[in-house]
Amino acid sequence: MCRQFTILTLDETLGVIQRIEMASPVVLEPDWPAQRPSAFPQSKVPVIVPMFNPALGAPLVPGSLGACELTWGFDEPWQTGVIFNSRIESAAKPTWREAMAHCRCFVVAPAFFESHQTETVPSPKTGKPIKRPYEFRAPDEGPLFLGCIWRDNRFSVVTTEANRCVAPVHHRMPVVLQQEELPLWLGPNYQSLANRSSVQLEARPV
């Protein structure tokens, strides 16, 4: 269950869009020694959205993508708190059907975090045991493109079954996309990306 990832600024996100639309590799500036800010549910996050209907798909050419700041998490009357993750396996359910079909998008994240299912560490605030968080990055420190869906002014991170890099920590992971997979994510056959076994990630205990 993804509830934290590091984010780019809106200006950086606009630069990423330009490189994607020019079919140039996206390279992130190192964040050392500064620490990039993290997004949590209810944070405002720069999100990249297609200027076309993903149910039909279209080439990623200049003018095909835009950026806007959306709030992380859907409000639902039957849910306490916001829904910040959406399972790709649940795409056909009424709650997600419209957004999964027509409102797919993605965020660019240097890293995301998952809490270990059993391993604990003392809380720095209370000293009580808490589940140890792990940071996941690309081995080359490149960008991670996290598949999302949006509705009104809010978005949710789409998750899938964890691959072998994430499974020792957590049984779910975001749909982490490679740059060359973005047209497929923003097209009608996106569900073929549910299997993330080929994605290489490095885990670091926090």
Side-chain angles (χ1 to χ4, degrees):
M1 180 182 296
C2 180
R3 63 172 68 239
Q4 179 186 357
F5 56 87
T6 52
I7 60 174
L8 307 185
T9 66
L10 183 57
D11 284 345
E12 287 177 312
T13 302
L14 292 172
V16 168
I17 288 176
Q18 186 176 36
R19 296 192 70 85
I20 292 172
E21 292 179 339
M22 294 174 62
S24 299
V26 175
V27 178
L28 298 182
E29 293 295 325
D31 56 3
W32 185 89
Q35 185 73 27
R36 286 192 179 274
S38 280
F40 300 89
Q42 296 285 26
S43 295
K44 284 194 175 295
V45 177
V47 177
I48 298 178
V49 297
M51 309 304 288
F52 55 85
N53 185 348
L56 303 176
L60 300 187
V61 297
S64 61
L65 299 174
C68 56
E69 290 192 319
L70 302 178
T71 300
W72 186 8
F74 289 156
D75 277 321
E76 296 289 350
W78 45 266
Q79 174 75 25
T80 301
V82 295
I83 300 176
F84 49 89
N85 287 166
S86 305
R87 290 176 174 251
I88 196 169
E89 302 93 337
S90 300
K93 292 187 176 181
T95 301
W96 312 121
R97 187 183 301 140
E98 188 71 14
M100 285 285 194
H102 302 286
C103 298
R104 268 167 278 125
C105 56
F106 61 95
V107 298
V108 186
F112 70 90
F113 299 82
E114 297 287 3
S115 295
H116 200 283
Q117 297 175 93
T118 58
E119 185 180 343
T120 61
V121 292
S123 167
K125 293 182 179 180
T126 66
K128 296 180 179 179
I130 59 171
K131 293 181 177 180
R132 181 192 287 276
Y134 277 75
E135 178 189 68
F136 290 89
R137 287 181 177 262
D140 62 357
E141 300 289 330
L144 303 177
F145 302 94
L146 308 185
C148 303
I149 55 176
W150 67 280
R151 186 173 65 210
D152 299 325
N153 63 343
R154 293 179 170 269
F155 77 100
S156 175
V157 175
V158 180
T159 66
T160 190
E161 184 178 347
N163 65 14
R164 62 183 179 83
C165 302
V166 181
V169 175
H170 199 275
H171 68 287
R172 302 290 296 178
M173 65 178 284
V175 174
V176 178
L177 306 164
Q178 307 296 326
Q179 185 174 344
E180 60 270 20
E181 293 176 321
L182 295 176
L184 184 56
W185 174 249
L186 299 177
N189 299 316
Y190 72 96
Q191 288 196 356
S192 64
L193 295 170
N195 184 340
R196 297 290 78 202
S197 58
S198 64
V199 174
Q200 298 299 310
L201 297 166
E202 290 185 351
R204 305 172 185 175
V206 177

